Amino acid sequence: MPELPEVETIRRSLEKDIIGKTIFSIDIREKKQFVGDPQKAIQQKVSAVQRKGKVLSLKLSNDLYLSFHLKLTGQILFHHDKDNSLFKNEIPRTYTNKMPAADTRIIFYFQDNSVLYFNDVRKFGWVKLTPQPEAPTSPDILSKEFTIEYIKKKLSASRKPIKVILMDQEFIAGIGNIYANDSLFIAGILPTRKANSLDEKEIKTLYEAIKKVIAEGIEYRGSSAQDEMYIMPDSTKGAYQFHFKVYHRENKPCFNCKTIIKRIKQGGRSSFYCEKCQK
């Protein structure tokens, strides 16, 4: 599932590509994945591209929002056929060699003959047209609301394993399995530790580790697995997968001490850790 760095990378790419463009038509191929009246988005300009947590939102000129959640296998791809002229009275005929694909669920056509494709193999993702952007209520990691004081208050009130808490979108908006594992490794904290067992020094270290890992994930434009479910709007891949600390490194030596990385299951997800470096 794309996490904050992946969705933020998509946001920054789309910000350059689609702001100021007018939506000409919307082709909804999977009705259950679009919520709202699509006609209210027609002839509206994209005025901003926003993100909170894992949700991406396009603000339209009529103050409605198109919000996207990619869930497990969602993709947003952008294409502009600059050789074709502007189509005003018919749907632009912009296609790449591979688009639309069998898993293309929704297509947004712009008046300048550019196209946004929403693909989703598993059909868990969605697009919603609403008066306010769809977004989690918890603080986004990049927001000013995500502070040491906030994380200290939340952790002290829970006996759940710290790894499970980090992935709870009601606690922090945006972090998932990849960056939770690597944050805990950098902080030197076992994923099985109860959240309320962390002292003030450990909480501060964890807070800084989360910020560091998320920033690094954005720097490398997210993580693209072998299945290439996450790719950028121009179809290029992220590179954070070449910089994993412990995630998906089971049975490989720890970068710090050479101890073999272990894997356990927590809440149905895999947790990776070094039993020597993490306490």
Side-chain angles (χ1 to χ4, degrees):
M1 178 185 291
E3 303 178 31
L4 189 157
E6 287 75 36
V7 182
E8 177 63 14
T9 299
I10 293 171
R11 187 197 71 78
R12 294 182 183 187
S13 178
L14 291 181
E15 194 171 50
K16 295 182 295 183
D17 290 332
I18 67 173
I19 285 184
K21 293 183 184 294
T22 298
I23 297 173
F24 181 87
S25 178
I26 304 175
D27 179 5
I28 301 173
R29 300 185 170 199
E30 186 62 53
K31 291 183 179 180
K32 72 175 185 177
Q33 290 187 264
F34 190 98
V35 177
D37 181 359
Q39 291 303 313
K40 292 182 179 180
I42 304 304
Q43 297 302 322
Q44 301 301 316
K45 285 187 178 181
V46 178
S47 59
V49 184
Q50 305 172 355
R51 179 201 57 75
K52 186 174 182 183
K54 302 175 184 179
V55 181
L56 181 82
S57 298
L58 310 184
K59 184 178 181 180
L60 305 181
S61 51
N62 60 357
D63 290 331
L64 293 180
Y65 292 83
L66 279 167
S67 296
F68 297 71
H69 199 311
L70 303 180
K71 294 293 184 175
L72 292 175
T73 60
Q75 296 175 332
I76 297 175
L77 298 178
F78 175 79
H79 179 69
H80 188 188
D81 188 345
K82 297 180 181 179
D83 293 331
N84 285 347
S85 59
L86 179 67
F87 289 83
K88 295 183 178 179
N89 299 312
E90 58 179 306
I91 294 176
R93 293 183 283 269
T94 298
Y95 294 92
T96 66
N97 290 334
K98 298 182 179 179
M99 292 292 137
D103 60 355
T104 298
R105 309 305 178 191
I106 304 168
I107 306 174
F108 299 86
Y109 295 98
F110 297 105
Q111 280 192 344
D112 68 345
N113 204 39
S114 58
V115 182
L116 201 66
Y117 300 95
F118 177 70
N119 297 346
D120 189 6
V121 172
R122 300 284 295 276
K123 301 184 183 181
F124 292 150
W126 45 254
V127 179
K128 297 182 181 181
L129 181 64
T130 55
Q132 297 295 327
E134 292 287 321
T137 57
S138 56
D140 184 271
I141 295 168
L142 300 185
S143 72
K144 62 182 181 180
E145 287 79 21
F146 182 60
T147 63
I148 295 177
E149 290 72 24
Y150 171 81
I151 193 173
K152 179 181 177 181
K153 179 181 179 181
K154 291 294 184 179
L155 294 184
S156 65
S158 178
R159 291 177 54 82
K160 292 182 181 179
I162 184 61
K163 164 74 181 320
V164 174
I165 287 290
L166 290 183
M167 294 181 60
D168 183 353
Q169 298 304 294
E170 294 184 3
F171 169 56
I172 308 175
I175 196 167
N177 206 28
I178 295 173
Y179 301 100
N181 275 289
D182 282 2
S183 294
L184 288 169
F185 174 74
I186 290 176
I189 297 169
L190 281 170
T192 53
R193 285 272 303 275
K194 288 182 171 58
N196 64 359
S197 73
L198 273 62
D199 60 30
E200 287 194 22
K201 182 179 179 181
E202 289 174 317
I203 291 173
K204 183 176 185 294
T205 302
L206 177 59
Y207 173 82
E208 292 172 348
I210 293 170
K211 301 283 278 188
K212 176 182 173 63
V213 166
I214 292 298
E216 190 173 345
I218 294 172
E219 177 186 355
Y220 289 110
R221 299 181 297 176
S223 171
S224 294
Q226 289 183 345
D227 60 13
E228 296 186 8
M229 285 294 101
Y230 163 69
I231 52 177
M232 284 171 274
D234 63 0
S235 78
T236 56
K237 303 176 187 178
Y240 184 75
Q241 65 271 20
F242 302 116
H243 302 273
F244 289 158
K245 319 306 180 194
V246 287
Y247 183 73
H248 267 199
R249 299 197 67 252
E250 179 186 12
N251 295 325
K252 295 181 180 179
C254 170
F255 288 128
N256 292 340
C257 69
K258 306 306 179 185
T259 299
I260 298 301
I261 299 298
K262 292 189 174 182
R263 177 174 68 92
I264 58 173
K265 285 285 187 179
Q266 288 183 289
R269 306 298 298 277
S270 293
S271 293
F272 303 85
Y273 66 96
C274 172
E275 60 183 356
K276 184 175 180 181
C277 291
Q278 294 172 251
K279 304 297 182 183

mmCIF file of all heavy atoms in Angstrom, residues 185-186 253-259 274 277:
data_model
loop_
_atom_site.group_PDB
_atom_site.id
_atom_site.type_symbol
_atom_site.label_atom_id
_atom_site.label_comp_id
_atom_site.label_asym_id
_atom_site.label_seq_id
_atom_site.Cartn_x
_atom_site.Cartn_y
_atom_site.Cartn_z
ATOM 1 N N PHE A 185 13.693 0.747 13.694
ATOM 2 C CA PHE A 185 15.092 0.331 13.648
ATOM 3 C C PHE A 185 16.021 1.511 13.939
ATOM 4 O O PHE A 185 16.943 1.399 14.754
ATOM 5 C CB PHE A 185 15.430 -0.269 12.292
ATOM 6 C CG PHE A 185 16.895 -0.579 12.123
ATOM 7 C CD1 PHE A 185 17.473 -1.664 12.764
ATOM 8 C CD2 PHE A 185 17.712 0.225 11.335
ATOM 9 C CE1 PHE A 185 18.822 -1.946 12.630
ATOM 10 C CE2 PHE A 185 19.059 -0.045 11.194
ATOM 11 C CZ PHE A 185 19.619 -1.134 11.846
ATOM 12 N N ILE A 186 15.781 2.630 13.291
ATOM 13 C CA ILE A 186 16.615 3.809 13.513
ATOM 14 C C ILE A 186 16.534 4.260 14.970
ATOM 15 O O ILE A 186 17.534 4.670 15.570
ATOM 16 C CB ILE A 186 16.191 4.953 12.575
ATOM 17 C CG1 ILE A 186 16.567 4.612 11.134
ATOM 18 C CG2 ILE A 186 16.857 6.273 12.982
ATOM 19 C CD1 ILE A 186 16.113 5.640 10.127
ATOM 20 N N PRO A 253 22.035 -9.713 7.131
ATOM 21 C CA PRO A 253 22.733 -9.116 8.275
ATOM 22 C C PRO A 253 22.327 -7.659 8.508
ATOM 23 O O PRO A 253 22.127 -6.893 7.557
ATOM 24 C CB PRO A 253 24.210 -9.218 7.882
ATOM 25 C CG PRO A 253 24.201 -9.268 6.391
ATOM 26 C CD PRO A 253 22.964 -10.011 6.016
ATOM 27 N N CYS A 254 22.218 -7.316 9.780
ATOM 28 C CA CYS A 254 21.948 -5.937 10.166
ATOM 29 C C CYS A 254 23.068 -5.036 9.655
ATOM 30 O O CYS A 254 24.248 -5.393 9.715
ATOM 31 C CB CYS A 254 21.842 -5.843 11.686
ATOM 32 S SG CYS A 254 21.797 -4.176 12.346
ATOM 33 N N PHE A 255 22.713 -3.858 9.149
ATOM 34 C CA PHE A 255 23.717 -2.929 8.643
ATOM 35 C C PHE A 255 24.632 -2.422 9.746
ATOM 36 O O PHE A 255 25.776 -2.039 9.487
ATOM 37 C CB PHE A 255 23.037 -1.741 7.952
ATOM 38 C CG PHE A 255 22.407 -2.081 6.631
ATOM 39 C CD1 PHE A 255 21.085 -1.758 6.375
ATOM 40 C CD2 PHE A 255 23.137 -2.723 5.639
ATOM 41 C CE1 PHE A 255 20.502 -2.059 5.152
ATOM 42 C CE2 PHE A 255 22.565 -3.031 4.420
ATOM 43 C CZ PHE A 255 21.247 -2.700 4.173
ATOM 44 N N ASN A 256 24.141 -2.435 10.992
ATOM 45 C CA ASN A 256 24.942 -1.911 12.103
ATOM 46 C C ASN A 256 25.842 -2.944 12.754
ATOM 47 O O ASN A 256 27.022 -2.680 12.999
ATOM 48 C CB ASN A 256 24.017 -1.317 13.179
ATOM 49 C CG ASN A 256 23.315 -0.065 12.704
ATOM 50 O OD1 ASN A 256 23.749 0.577 11.745
ATOM 51 N ND2 ASN A 256 22.234 0.284 13.370
ATOM 52 N N CYS A 257 25.270 -4.125 13.042
ATOM 53 C CA CYS A 257 26.010 -5.089 13.875
ATOM 54 C C CYS A 257 26.163 -6.464 13.246
ATOM 55 O O CYS A 257 26.752 -7.360 13.851
ATOM 56 C CB CYS A 257 25.319 -5.222 15.231
ATOM 57 S SG CYS A 257 23.701 -6.037 15.129
ATOM 58 N N LYS A 258 25.589 -6.663 12.064
ATOM 59 C CA LYS A 258 25.670 -7.925 11.309
ATOM 60 C C LYS A 258 24.808 -9.045 11.898
ATOM 61 O O LYS A 258 24.833 -10.172 11.400
ATOM 62 C CB LYS A 258 27.129 -8.417 11.192
ATOM 63 C CG LYS A 258 28.092 -7.382 10.623
ATOM 64 C CD LYS A 258 27.635 -6.834 9.303
ATOM 65 C CE LYS A 258 28.588 -5.785 8.755
ATOM 66 N NZ LYS A 258 28.072 -5.157 7.510
ATOM 67 N N THR A 259 24.057 -8.769 12.954
ATOM 68 C CA THR A 259 23.099 -9.750 13.459
ATOM 69 C C THR A 259 22.031 -9.991 12.397
ATOM 70 O O THR A 259 21.628 -9.070 11.687
ATOM 71 C CB THR A 259 22.434 -9.233 14.752
ATOM 72 O OG1 THR A 259 23.435 -9.032 15.743
ATOM 73 C CG2 THR A 259 21.399 -10.221 15.284
ATOM 74 N N CYS A 274 16.144 -6.039 14.293
ATOM 75 C CA CYS A 274 17.426 -6.579 14.751
ATOM 76 C C CYS A 274 17.337 -6.720 16.267
ATOM 77 O O CYS A 274 17.171 -5.710 16.973
ATOM 78 C CB CYS A 274 18.577 -5.647 14.369
ATOM 79 S SG CYS A 274 20.164 -6.128 15.114
ATOM 80 N N CYS A 277 20.199 -4.554 18.038
ATOM 81 C CA CYS A 277 20.163 -3.076 17.963
ATOM 82 C C CYS A 277 18.862 -2.491 18.520
ATOM 83 O O CYS A 277 18.837 -1.310 18.883
ATOM 84 C CB CYS A 277 20.321 -2.627 16.514
ATOM 85 S SG CYS A 277 21.965 -2.928 15.826
#
